[in-house]
Amino acid sequence: MNSFGVFLTLALFYLFSKLYQKKRAFYLNPVLLSILSIAIILRTFNISYQTYMESAQILSFLLGPAVVSLAIPLYKQREVIKTYSKEIVLGISFGGTLAILSAFYVAKLLGAEKIVLLSIAPKSITTAIAIGVSEKIGGIPALTAVLVILTGIMGNAIGVEVLNLARIKDKVARGLAMGVTSHGLGTARIILDDELAGAVSGLAMALNGIFTSIVLPYLINILK
C-alpha cells in the first residue's frame, strides 16, 4: 500500500508543530502551514489530489475515532457542563444564528451572488453536515466544503488569539466560541490549551451542527 500521503502529512505537521512550539506565532499555525505545504508539493511534482488522498486514506479513517474521543473530556467535565447547561444552550442558539447572519450579510454586502450566499451560510458547522445543508437550501456543496475548511483553519490559527485579545477568560465561554464558530479544527486547537474549554467546544460543535441543520432551511427563506 502506498503510504506517501501518510508520511508527508505527519512529517509536515510534526515539523510545523515543533516550529510553532518555539515561536507561538499565529502565522506559524501547523494546520495552516501543513495544508499550504502539501498543496505546493502536489502542484510542484504534478501529483493529483486523488492520488494523495488514496495514500493518506488511513488518516481520514482515523478522523472518526478522533472525533468520538472528544466524548472523554466531555464525560470528565460533565458536572461543570451540567451546571452551565442553560448558558451553553443559549450560547449555541445565539452564536449559531449570528454565524449564519454575519456570513450571509457580509457576503451580500460584498456583492456575492445568491448561490454563493446559500453556500456560505452553513460555513461554521462541521463539513459532513454543512454539505447536506448546503445541498438542501440550494447552495453549492463543493464550495460550502471549501468555506467550512477555511473557516476551521482561521479558527485554528487565530481563534485563541482573538479570545485573548478580547480578554475572554471564562473557559466555558472560550469553548463555546470556538466550537460554534470553527467546529472541529477550532476544537482541536482550544483543547490543547484547556480540557474544559475543549470539552465545551466539542459539545458546541455537535449541537450547533444539529441547530443549524434545523434552523437554516427556515431562516434562509426569510433572508432570500
Side-chain angles (χ1 to χ4, degrees):
M1 180 180 174
N2 182 3
S3 301
F4 160 75
V6 174
F7 287 112
L8 176 65
T9 306
L10 293 181
L12 287 173
F13 186 76
Y14 177 79
L15 176 68
F16 290 128
S17 294
K18 288 292 182 185
L19 189 62
Y20 178 77
Q21 286 172 8
K22 288 184 178 178
K23 301 238 176 180
R24 285 277 175 183
F26 73 90
Y27 54 82
L28 294 177
N29 181 272
V31 174
L32 176 62
L33 293 183
S34 297
I35 291 174
L36 291 176
S37 299
I38 289 171
I40 292 171
I41 290 171
L42 296 184
R43 180 76 175 177
T44 303
F45 293 97
N46 199 26
I47 300 170
S48 71
Y49 177 71
Q50 184 178 0
T51 301
Y52 163 74
M53 279 305 295
E54 286 176 356
S55 64
Q57 202 169 16
I58 186 67
L59 295 180
S60 299
F61 171 76
L62 292 174
L63 184 61
V67 173
V68 173
S69 70
L70 290 173
I72 297 173
L74 192 62
Y75 179 77
K76 290 167 70 176
Q77 301 292 341
R78 63 189 183 283
E79 292 301 326
V80 179
I81 290 172
K82 188 177 177 182
T83 302
Y84 288 95
S85 57
K86 289 181 182 177
E87 289 81 357
I88 290 173
V89 170
L90 285 173
I92 292 169
S93 302
F94 179 76
T97 305
L98 187 62
I100 295 170
L101 295 177
S102 59
F104 185 92
Y105 281 113
V106 168
K108 190 174 184 178
L109 193 65
L110 295 173
E113 296 180 6
K114 180 181 174 183
I115 196 164
V116 176
L117 297 178
L118 297 176
S119 303
I120 201 172
K123 69 166 184 57
S124 293
I125 56 177
T126 192
T127 311
I129 300 175
I131 288 174
V133 173
S134 176
E135 191 173 13
K136 184 174 182 179
I137 63 176
I140 306 172
L143 177 58
T144 299
V146 172
L147 293 168
V148 168
I149 293 169
L150 288 175
T151 301
I153 292 172
M154 286 296 292
N156 188 287
I158 64 170
V160 170
E161 284 73 15
V162 170
L163 292 173
N164 292 339
L165 192 64
R167 297 184 180 180
I168 298 174
K169 297 179 180 178
D170 185 271
K171 295 175 181 178
V172 174
R174 288 169 69 89
L176 265 175
M178 291 293 280
V180 169
T181 58
S182 46
H183 49 84
L185 284 172
T187 300
R189 171 70 193 284
I190 194 79
I191 203 169
L192 296 176
D193 289 1
D194 183 80
E195 186 179 72
L196 173 58
V200 174
S201 182
L203 178 64
M205 173 188 70
L207 294 181
N208 188 42
I210 297 170
F211 173 79
T212 301
S213 65
I214 294 172
V215 169
L216 185 53
Y218 298 100
L219 186 59
I220 211 69
N221 286 327
I222 301 171
L223 298 176
K224 282 181 180 175

